[in-house]
Amino acid sequence: MTLRDAKKLKPGALVRRAWNPDCKATAIVLHTEYIEGWHRAKLLGGKKKERFDVTVRWIGQPPVVWDPAGYMKKNVMEQTHQNWELMVVQHV
C-alpha cells in the first residue's frame, strides 16, 4: 500500500499481506499512525522518509512473528505492520 492509500485507511478496513497473494488470511485495521523520519523499510529495503504503521487484528491464521532474540512466536493475532507490507481488500 502506498502512502497515498495509507492516508485514506480508516479503522475497520480489511487488509491482507501485500507480498503474498496466496495468503487467505485477512485483517481488520485497528489503528494507523503516521511516522516521519528516515527508516529502513522492511520489505522494500532501502531508506524511506515517511511511513504509516498500521495495527491490525488478523482473522484466520496470522503471520509468524519473530522476537528480537530470534524466537518464533505463533498466533500473535494483533500485529503492527508498515504500510508497504499490506494491501487494502475493502475500505470502510
Side-chain angles (χ1 to χ4, degrees):
M1 167 181 351
T2 63
L3 287 169
R4 191 169 126 189
D5 292 334
K7 287 178 186 177
K8 299 176 189 175
L9 199 62
K10 298 202 181 332
L14 293 177
V15 294
R16 69 168 177 85
R17 293 167 133 185
W19 55 272
N20 187 359
D22 296 332
C23 180
K24 302 298 181 203
T26 57
I28 298 173
V29 174
L30 301 177
H31 175 71
T32 60
E33 179 183 0
Y34 177 73
I35 298 176
E36 191 170 7
W38 289 102
H39 72 284
R40 185 163 303 282
K42 291 180 189 174
L43 288 180
L44 297 177
K47 292 186 178 182
K48 297 290 177 187
K49 187 177 179 184
E50 55 188 343
R51 73 174 190 264
F52 279 88
D53 280 350
V54 183
T55 304
V56 297
R57 171 86 178 165
W58 288 97
I59 303 168
Q61 184 65 32
V64 174
V65 176
W66 296 88
D67 69 7
Y71 295 103
M72 183 171 59
K73 299 180 192 177
K74 292 185 177 180
N75 299 326
V76 179
M77 299 303 282
E78 194 171 305
Q79 298 177 5
T80 301
H81 295 277
Q82 293 177 357
N83 60 295
W84 316 109
E85 301 174 39
L86 301 171
M87 177 179 278
V88 177
V89 174
Q90 183 177 1
H91 283 285
V92 178

